Short mmCIF file of all heavy atoms in Angstrom, two decimals:
data_model
loop_
_atom_site.label_atom_id
_atom_site.label_comp_id
_atom_site.label_asym_id
_atom_site.label_seq_id
_atom_site.Cartn_x
_atom_site.Cartn_y
_atom_site.Cartn_z
N ASP A 1 88.26 115.03 119.01
CA ASP A 1 86.79 115.08 118.96
C ASP A 1 86.17 113.79 118.45
O ASP A 1 84.96 113.68 118.34
CB ASP A 1 86.33 116.22 118.05
CG ASP A 1 86.81 116.07 116.62
OD1 ASP A 1 87.79 115.31 116.42
OD2 ASP A 1 86.23 116.70 115.73
N THR A 2 86.98 112.78 118.12
CA THR A 2 86.44 111.50 117.70
C THR A 2 85.90 110.75 118.91
O THR A 2 86.63 110.57 119.90
CB THR A 2 87.51 110.65 117.01
OG1 THR A 2 87.97 111.34 115.85
CG2 THR A 2 86.95 109.29 116.61
N PRO A 3 84.66 110.33 118.88
CA PRO A 3 84.10 109.62 120.04
C PRO A 3 84.93 108.41 120.42
O PRO A 3 85.36 107.64 119.57
CB PRO A 3 82.69 109.20 119.56
CG PRO A 3 82.36 110.17 118.46
CD PRO A 3 83.69 110.49 117.81
N SER A 4 85.14 108.24 121.73
CA SER A 4 85.96 107.11 122.18
C SER A 4 85.36 105.79 121.77
O SER A 4 86.06 104.81 121.56
CB SER A 4 86.16 107.19 123.70
OG SER A 4 84.91 107.12 124.34
N ALA A 5 84.04 105.73 121.68
CA ALA A 5 83.39 104.45 121.30
C ALA A 5 83.82 104.03 119.92
O ALA A 5 84.03 102.85 119.65
CB ALA A 5 81.87 104.62 121.35
N GLU A 6 84.00 105.00 118.98
CA GLU A 6 84.45 104.66 117.64
C GLU A 6 85.88 104.13 117.67
O GLU A 6 86.22 103.19 116.97
CB GLU A 6 84.38 105.89 116.72
CG GLU A 6 82.98 106.30 116.35
CD GLU A 6 82.98 107.41 115.35
OE1 GLU A 6 84.06 107.87 114.94
OE2 GLU A 6 81.88 107.86 114.96
N ARG A 7 86.73 104.75 118.50
CA ARG A 7 88.11 104.30 118.54
C ARG A 7 88.20 102.92 119.16
O ARG A 7 88.97 102.07 118.75
CB ARG A 7 88.95 105.30 119.34
CG ARG A 7 88.99 106.70 118.69
CD ARG A 7 90.11 107.53 119.28
NE ARG A 7 89.91 107.84 120.67
CZ ARG A 7 89.36 108.95 121.14
NH1 ARG A 7 88.92 109.85 120.29
NH2 ARG A 7 89.25 109.18 122.41
N GLN A 8 87.39 102.68 120.20
CA GLN A 8 87.45 101.38 120.86
C GLN A 8 86.90 100.27 119.99
O GLN A 8 87.27 99.12 120.13
CB GLN A 8 86.69 101.46 122.18
CG GLN A 8 87.36 102.37 123.21
CD GLN A 8 86.56 102.50 124.48
OE1 GLN A 8 85.55 101.82 124.66
NE2 GLN A 8 87.01 103.36 125.38
N SER A 9 85.99 100.61 119.06
CA SER A 9 85.40 99.58 118.22
C SER A 9 86.42 98.88 117.35
O SER A 9 86.25 97.73 117.02
CB SER A 9 84.30 100.17 117.33
OG SER A 9 84.86 101.01 116.35
N ALA A 10 87.50 99.59 117.01
CA ALA A 10 88.54 98.94 116.21
C ALA A 10 89.17 97.79 116.97
O ALA A 10 89.48 96.76 116.41
CB ALA A 10 89.61 99.96 115.83
N ALA A 11 89.37 97.99 118.26
CA ALA A 11 89.94 96.91 119.07
C ALA A 11 88.96 95.74 119.19
O ALA A 11 89.33 94.58 119.09
CB ALA A 11 90.29 97.43 120.46
N THR A 12 87.69 96.07 119.37
CA THR A 12 86.69 95.00 119.50
C THR A 12 86.59 94.17 118.24
O THR A 12 86.44 92.97 118.29
CB THR A 12 85.33 95.63 119.85
OG1 THR A 12 85.47 96.40 121.03
CG2 THR A 12 84.29 94.56 120.03
N ASP A 13 86.70 94.87 117.07
CA ASP A 13 86.55 94.17 115.80
C ASP A 13 87.78 93.35 115.44
O ASP A 13 87.74 92.56 114.51
CB ASP A 13 86.30 95.18 114.67
CG ASP A 13 84.91 95.77 114.77
OD1 ASP A 13 84.09 95.19 115.50
OD2 ASP A 13 84.68 96.82 114.14
N ALA A 14 88.92 93.59 116.12
CA ALA A 14 90.14 92.93 115.70
C ALA A 14 90.05 91.42 115.77
O ALA A 14 90.51 90.70 114.89
CB ALA A 14 91.32 93.42 116.54
N GLY A 15 89.48 90.89 116.85
CA GLY A 15 89.27 89.47 116.93
C GLY A 15 90.54 88.66 116.93
O GLY A 15 90.56 87.50 116.53
N LEU A 16 91.67 89.22 117.44
CA LEU A 16 92.93 88.53 117.44
C LEU A 16 93.19 87.94 118.82
O LEU A 16 93.06 88.60 119.84
CB LEU A 16 94.06 89.49 117.06
CG LEU A 16 94.03 89.94 115.62
CD1 LEU A 16 95.04 91.06 115.41
CD2 LEU A 16 94.36 88.80 114.69
N THR A 17 93.55 86.69 118.86
CA THR A 17 93.81 86.01 120.12
C THR A 17 95.16 85.33 120.07
O THR A 17 95.75 85.15 119.01
CB THR A 17 92.74 84.95 120.40
OG1 THR A 17 92.83 83.95 119.40
CG2 THR A 17 91.34 85.58 120.35
N ARG A 18 95.63 84.93 121.26
CA ARG A 18 96.89 84.18 121.34
C ARG A 18 96.80 82.94 120.48
O ARG A 18 97.74 82.61 119.75
CB ARG A 18 97.16 83.81 122.81
CG ARG A 18 98.41 82.95 123.01
CD ARG A 18 98.45 82.42 124.44
NE ARG A 18 98.48 83.50 125.42
CZ ARG A 18 99.59 83.98 125.98
NH1 ARG A 18 100.76 83.50 125.62
NH2 ARG A 18 99.55 84.94 126.85
N ARG A 19 95.70 82.24 120.50
CA ARG A 19 95.57 80.99 119.73
C ARG A 19 95.67 81.26 118.24
O ARG A 19 96.32 80.52 117.51
CB ARG A 19 94.21 80.35 120.05
CG ARG A 19 94.02 79.01 119.31
CD ARG A 19 92.73 78.35 119.70
NE ARG A 19 91.59 79.17 119.32
CZ ARG A 19 90.32 78.83 119.54
NH1 ARG A 19 90.05 77.70 120.19
NH2 ARG A 19 89.34 79.60 119.18
N ARG A 20 95.03 82.37 117.74
CA ARG A 20 95.06 82.65 116.31
C ARG A 20 96.49 82.98 115.87
O ARG A 20 96.95 82.57 114.80
CB ARG A 20 94.13 83.83 116.01
CG ARG A 20 94.22 84.36 114.57
CD ARG A 20 94.00 83.27 113.54
NE ARG A 20 92.79 82.57 113.67
CZ ARG A 20 91.61 83.00 113.17
NH1 ARG A 20 91.53 84.12 112.54
NH2 ARG A 20 90.53 82.27 113.35
N LEU A 21 97.24 83.74 116.69
CA LEU A 21 98.60 84.09 116.31
C LEU A 21 99.51 82.88 116.30
O LEU A 21 100.40 82.75 115.46
CB LEU A 21 99.15 85.15 117.29
CG LEU A 21 98.55 86.54 117.11
CD1 LEU A 21 99.00 87.43 118.24
CD2 LEU A 21 98.95 87.14 115.78
N LEU A 22 99.30 81.98 117.24
CA LEU A 22 100.15 80.80 117.30
C LEU A 22 99.81 79.80 116.21
O LEU A 22 100.67 79.02 115.77
CB LEU A 22 100.03 80.13 118.67
CG LEU A 22 100.59 80.92 119.87
CD1 LEU A 22 100.25 80.21 121.17
CD2 LEU A 22 102.09 81.11 119.71
N ALA A 23 98.57 79.85 115.73
CA ALA A 23 98.11 78.81 114.79
C ALA A 23 98.89 78.81 113.50
O ALA A 23 99.01 77.76 112.85
CB ALA A 23 96.62 79.02 114.49
N GLY A 24 99.38 79.98 113.09
CA GLY A 24 100.07 80.05 111.81
C GLY A 24 101.56 79.80 111.87
O GLY A 24 102.23 79.87 110.85
N SER A 25 102.11 79.50 113.04
CA SER A 25 103.55 79.37 113.15
C SER A 25 104.11 78.30 112.24
O SER A 25 105.16 78.46 111.63
CB SER A 25 103.93 79.08 114.61
OG SER A 25 103.57 80.15 115.45
N ALA A 26 103.38 77.21 112.12
CA ALA A 26 103.88 76.12 111.29
C ALA A 26 103.96 76.50 109.83
O ALA A 26 104.72 75.91 109.05
CB ALA A 26 103.00 74.89 111.47
N ALA A 27 103.16 77.49 109.42
CA ALA A 27 103.13 77.90 108.01
C ALA A 27 104.10 79.02 107.70
O ALA A 27 104.15 79.49 106.57
CB ALA A 27 101.72 78.33 107.62
N LEU A 28 104.88 79.46 108.70
CA LEU A 28 105.76 80.60 108.50
C LEU A 28 106.70 80.41 107.33
O LEU A 28 106.97 81.35 106.57
CB LEU A 28 106.55 80.86 109.78
CG LEU A 28 107.53 82.03 109.75
CD1 LEU A 28 106.80 83.31 109.43
CD2 LEU A 28 108.26 82.15 111.09
N GLY A 29 107.19 79.18 107.15
CA GLY A 29 108.12 78.95 106.04
C GLY A 29 107.52 79.24 104.70
O GLY A 29 108.22 79.62 103.75
N GLY A 30 106.19 79.14 104.56
CA GLY A 30 105.55 79.41 103.29
C GLY A 30 105.60 80.86 102.87
O GLY A 30 105.34 81.18 101.72
#
């Protein structure tokens, strides 16, 4: 019964992209 718009908003708010995930690779050792 949870509106699908509420569930989908979590994905919209995530703001995660390929570039953001790759950006931290160099800091992994930390």
Side-chain angles (χ1 to χ4, degrees):
D1 62 339
T2 299
S4 60
E6 287 186 1
R7 297 196 295 265
Q8 292 177 7
S9 69
T12 303
D13 289 343
L16 291 171
T17 64
R18 177 191 300 264
R19 181 176 63 180
R20 172 54 57 82
L21 287 171
L22 293 174
S25 297
L28 179 59

